[in-house]
Amino acid sequence: MAIISIRNLVVEYDARRVLDGLNLDIEPGETMVLLGGSGSGKSTLLRQILGLERAHSGSVLVKGIDITRCSQLELRLVRRSIGVAFQSAALFNSLSVKDNVALALREHTALAPSIIDLMVWMNLAAVGLADFGHLHPQELSGGMKKRAAVARALALDPEILVFDEPSAGLDPIVAAELDELILLLKKAFQMTVVVVTHELPSAFRIADRIAMLHNGSFLAVGTKEEIRSNQHPRIRQFLDRVPDKMGKASEVAASFEKYLRGEEANP
Amino acid sequence: MATLIENVGQKTLNHLDYVGGFSIQLWAVLRAMGASLPFVGNPYRWKASVGQMLQIGVSALPMVGLMAMCSGFILAMQGASELRRFGAMHYVIDLVAVGFTREMGPLLTAIAVSGRSGSAFAAEIGTMSVTEEIDALRVMAFEPVEFVLAPKYLAALIMVPCLTIASNVCGILAGGIFMFFTTHLSLGLYLHYVLTSIQLRDVISGLIKSLAFATIIVHVGCLEGFRVHGGPDAVGRSTTSAVVKSTFLVIVADVIFTAIFYYFTGKH
Ligand SMILES: Nc1ncnc2c1ncn2[C@@H]1O[C@H](COP(=O)(O)OP(=O)(O)OP(=O)(O)O)[C@@H](O)[C@H]1O
Ligand SMILES: [Mg+2]
């Protein structure tokens, strides 16, 4: 049975459809990459999976519970089994890295402080930040912040790990390290991983399956090979990195020249 | 015409929306307050509350004290300049003592706390909204109202009345110093007169006001913070509007409370 299943999900902002009747099943233990261009609705979909925003219609089932309709208490229970690393890391700035990771452990479990310290250290070591626990988030670099966010997401040993843009804004080496980290975590903890990204190499490195999102609906959902061999023009354009409307650049240049020559630009 | 009605309607809806948001937040925080209490609640929330008490209360003490001293002098001098003509210098004591316990103490404190802490709440929570920290709290199964707001509210409910009392003391003391230098009234005698002229209910009505002011300041500040959408500029606007709205509402609430005390006790 799918651990996350999305049924006919519709999300609207001010009567503008951002997600248009999505259906998707994510199986336990798989890595699902949500791939799509900027503004295609990836983050919006993720916020729906986390129950952070209200949907217009449709349902999102996480571990069999419909989080668009369940009570606050059930939602809180579901959320304990989800670890999230946000696009902006979203570490708590008033706490040190160590305390960021320890927060959920301290408050949601009855573990002894010494055990919590040990678990925090192990989580930080897993992401390569064992020596930086005492620092505050503003003292970390962007890549370290993202890794700290992963450590925090791992704290409660979640069944589902969610990443929003793990590699955005990082140099290729750090981005690749983060990909390896995701693969490693998955192998070690058998988690279900949901990753949102628009970076192709990263997507094809970590994915079991890929869902291509465009203008709020899925163009294709399938394994890496299926996506790679898909002939849908929009997917080809995305994979081959072809810009929108090839002719446009020369048109702009022409009208600009006209303008320089003093003639009326006529778009 | 249609646009006028539309505008009025839109404004009304906005205000109703604000009042609604305020009430929902107040209700949510009252239900979550239990967790912030010492011994019975969550020890981390209580720790956060103590931290907030230091920020709202202890570090505001010098400023509130100084403001109250100055206002005490002002009140005494303004009163004396008129009352002296009637040879009624004695009433300066009543003016300062009653004026401070009922009115000036709570109001001065509220304005100081709103400027210092109300804006800080809006900035802190607004920044947390912008940087997805509030969302992170939610997905970590924490309730932001319980986690962020309840400790602040508890701290304010305790510290604002304390600050009010401190400001009463400072204001009345300033009046005593003024009386000592103008009429050579000894401080001991001054305090004796003060205690005979104020009644317990003056102090209590002032403290009730200060609880209401604390509620307004914390909830307006936090609501402004939670409503931040967008970027850093929105955070800046929210801090401004937190101070403006809470100061305005504090004064409105003051009028209402004073009217209630005036008509229902027949004394004020
Ligand atoms: N709170 C909101 N209010 C109004 N519109 C929104 C809101 N959040 C997102 N949108 C709109 O929804 C669309 C999808 O946004 P979303 O953030 O999901 O994109 P994305 O795929 O994550 O893009 P990126 O890769 O740039 O992060 C955009 O057109 C955006 O304008
Ligand atoms: Mg996004």
Side-chain angles (χ1 to χ4, degrees):
Chain A
M1 204 192 87
I3 191 163
I4 298 174
S5 52
I6 297 163
R7 292 275 163 272
N8 302 317
L9 185 67
V10 176
V11 174
E12 292 182 349
Y13 287 121
D14 314 321
R16 189 162 57 100
R17 245 173 216 220
V18 175
L19 298 182
D20 193 5
L22 295 185
N23 285 290
L24 182 68
D25 281 309
I26 301 176
E27 303 299 329
E30 79 171 336
T31 303
M32 171 64 82
V33 172
L34 304 173
L35 196 59
S38 206
S40 55
K42 304 181 301 284
S43 298
T44 308
L45 176 56
L46 211 60
R47 296 175 68 78
Q48 289 294 332
I49 293 176
L50 301 173
L52 284 173
E53 258 156 55
R54 206 167 273 264
H56 177 72
S57 64
S59 58
V60 179
L61 276 78
V62 179
K63 294 173 51 182
I65 296 173
D66 184 353
I67 59 169
T68 54
R69 268 170 265 287
C70 70
S71 69
Q72 281 292 318
L73 200 71
E74 279 177 307
L75 185 58
R76 236 182 276 178
L77 277 179
V78 169
R79 278 172 173 171
R80 281 198 202 185
S81 54
I82 306 180
V84 189
F86 281 91
Q87 188 162 355
S88 60
L91 298 168
F92 303 119
N93 271 310
S94 52
L95 303 176
S96 69
V97 172
K98 231 193 275 178
D99 290 335
N100 262 288
V101 180
L103 186 67
L105 287 169
R106 282 189 194 137
E107 301 233 3
H108 292 325
T109 68
L111 297 172
S114 56
I115 299 191
I116 289 179
D117 282 346
L118 189 68
M119 289 175 73
V120 167
W121 185 84
M122 275 164 51
N123 275 329
L124 285 176
V127 298
L129 288 178
D131 299 331
F132 300 95
H134 58 281
L135 293 182
H136 275 255
Q138 56 271 29
E139 297 168 297
L140 299 183
S141 76
M144 287 157 93
K145 267 187 209 163
K146 291 221 162 163
R147 280 187 281 158
V150 175
R152 187 178 71 180
L154 289 174
L156 283 180
D157 219 348
E159 284 171 61
I160 306 167
L161 195 57
V162 176
F163 287 94
D164 195 356
E165 310 268 4
S167 42
L170 302 180
D171 76 59
I173 298 170
V174 179
E177 277 173 10
L178 219 56
D179 290 346
E180 297 309 312
L181 178 65
I182 293 171
L183 284 172
L184 185 83
L185 291 173
K186 208 189 132 219
K187 218 191 259 166
F189 300 107
Q190 314 286 315
M191 294 168 182
T192 310
V193 183
V194 181
V195 181
V196 159
T197 186
H198 55 240
E199 314 247 331
L200 289 171
S202 159
F204 281 99
R205 177 85 184 97
I206 56 182
D208 292 325
R209 285 200 301 155
I210 294 177
M212 265 301 288
L213 196 58
H214 176 62
N215 277 348
S217 44
F218 287 126
L219 294 180
V221 181
T223 60
K224 285 184 256 193
E225 289 68 34
E226 283 167 357
I227 295 290
R228 233 183 236 128
S229 57
N230 196 305
Q231 288 308 316
H232 190 290
R234 192 77 209 182
I235 298 181
R236 296 274 25 113
Q237 190 191 358
F238 195 88
L239 296 190
D240 302 339
R241 305 190 42 170
V242 182
D244 259 338
K245 302 211 184 73
M246 289 282 278
K248 201 76 177 242
S250 55
E251 256 172 49
V252 173
S255 69
F256 187 62
E257 252 170 51
K258 256 188 193 169
Y259 174 77
L260 286 183
R261 273 186 267 123
E263 294 166 31
E264 194 59 41
N266 216 358
Chain B
M1 193 62 201
T3 53
L4 178 72
I5 294 173
E6 238 171 57
N7 277 343
V8 170
Q10 190 60 47
K11 284 257 162 63
T12 314
L13 282 182
N14 288 349
H15 285 301
L16 283 179
D17 181 46
Y18 198 83
V19 173
F22 194 95
S23 327
I24 292 170
Q25 186 181 288
L26 187 60
W27 176 237
V29 82
L30 286 177
R31 290 200 330 180
M33 280 287 269
S36 302
L37 295 176
F39 309 118
V40 292
N42 180 330
Y44 295 103
R45 298 291 173 283
W46 173 242
K47 231 192 238 170
S49 305
V50 173
Q52 288 295 331
M53 282 179 211
L54 295 180
Q55 285 197 357
I56 299 172
V58 177
S59 43
L61 193 58
M63 174 185 167
V64 168
L66 211 61
M67 274 170 75
M69 286 284 236
C70 294
S71 310
F73 275 122
I74 294 170
L75 198 60
M77 285 188 284
Q78 295 282 19
S81 70
E82 287 300 303
L83 291 169
R84 167 176 281 151
R85 292 194 294 167
F86 306 106
M89 276 302 273
H90 187 80
Y91 286 107
V92 171
I93 303 174
D94 289 56
L95 182 68
V96 172
V98 175
F100 248 90
T101 46
R102 278 190 205 162
E103 190 56 58
M104 294 285 278
L107 194 61
L108 270 180
T109 309
I111 287 172
V113 172
S114 138
R116 277 187 87 253
S117 301
S119 56
F121 296 158
E124 180 189 337
I125 297 179
T127 310
M128 288 179 80
S129 304
V130 170
T131 56
E132 294 181 301
E133 281 179 54
I134 295 286
D135 290 336
L137 275 179
R138 286 219 190 93
V139 298
M140 287 166 79
F142 295 110
E143 205 42 63
V145 165
E146 184 208 311
F147 195 90
V148 185
L149 211 170
K152 294 191 193 327
Y153 189 35
L154 182 68
L157 283 183
I158 294 173
M159 290 321 283
V160 174
C162 290
L163 281 175
T164 301
I165 290 175
S167 113
N168 289 345
V169 169
C170 291
I172 291 174
L173 219 58
I177 295 170
F178 172 79
M179 289 302 279
F180 178 75
F181 282 113
T182 49
T183 63
H184 302 291
L185 180 71
S186 82
L187 213 55
L189 205 56
Y190 172 79
L191 287 181
H192 174 74
Y193 287 137
V194 164
L195 289 179
T196 50
S197 71
I198 52 175
Q199 293 179 338
L200 188 61
R201 74 157 118 187
D202 295 329
V203 180
I204 289 178
S205 74
L207 292 185
I208 292 175
K209 274 185 192 173
S210 76
L211 288 178
F213 296 164
T215 307
I216 289 172
I217 294 165
V218 172
H219 284 275
V220 169
C222 293
L223 192 60
E224 288 300 321
F226 280 123
R227 291 198 159 197
V228 167
H229 287 291
D233 55 327
V235 177
R237 260 177 279 132
S238 82
T239 53
T240 313
S241 100
V243 177
V244 172
K245 281 183 187 159
S246 61
T247 310
F248 173 72
L249 287 176
V250 158
I251 288 176
V252 171
D254 197 6
V255 170
I256 294 171
F257 273 98
T258 310
I260 290 174
F261 293 137
Y262 181 82
Y263 287 109
F264 285 88
T265 65
K267 240 202 127 239
H268 288 236

